[in-house]
Structures are given as C-alpha cells and as structure tokens.
C-alpha cells in the first residue's frame, strides 16, 4: 500500500471515530452517522489498497 494512501485511510478512520464520538456525546445523530460513514470510507480505501498490494506480488 502506498504510504500516502495508507495515511489517508488512517486519517479518515481517525477523523470518523472522533466525529462519531463527539456526535454521541452531543446527542447529534447526524454527526454520529457522518462519523460512521467517514470510518467506512477509510476502511474501504484501506481494503482497496491492500487488494492492490496483494496482486502486485
């Protein structure tokens, strides 16, 4: 996995977790859902890069 893409995936996951936690603390369902979606996006990016790496070898 390229370092840049890996960093983007980890950043998206971390931001999503933070946003979800803040949304829960504030009782903001929309923010919680946005955080979960952002985490999923990061997970998908990471999975895509791992798949690409698996086929390189």
């Amino acid at each position: 996995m390229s370092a840049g893409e890996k960093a983007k995936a980890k950043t998206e996951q971390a931001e999503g977790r933070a946003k979800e936690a803040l949304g829960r603390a504030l009782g903001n369902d929309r923010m919680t859902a946005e955080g979960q979606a952002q985490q999923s996006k990061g997970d998908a990016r990471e999975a895509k890069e791992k798949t690409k790496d698996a086929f390189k070898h």
Side-chain angles (χ1 to χ4, degrees):
M1 178 179 333
S2 73
E5 289 297 315
K6 183 177 183 179
K8 284 181 188 179
K10 293 296 181 188
T11 300
E12 281 179 340
Q13 291 167 339
E15 288 175 354
R17 279 192 295 276
K19 188 181 279 190
E20 181 181 2
L22 183 59
R24 284 192 179 155
L26 297 174
N28 186 330
D29 293 336
R30 180 177 177 194
M31 186 180 285
T32 302
E34 287 175 0
Q36 290 171 341
Q38 194 168 8
Q39 284 183 60
S40 295
K41 185 177 176 185
D43 291 343
R45 182 186 302 268
E46 185 175 37
K48 178 185 84 169
E49 290 301 314
K50 284 183 179 182
T51 302
K52 285 179 11 183
D53 284 348
F55 286 103
K56 281 184 180 179
H57 302 289

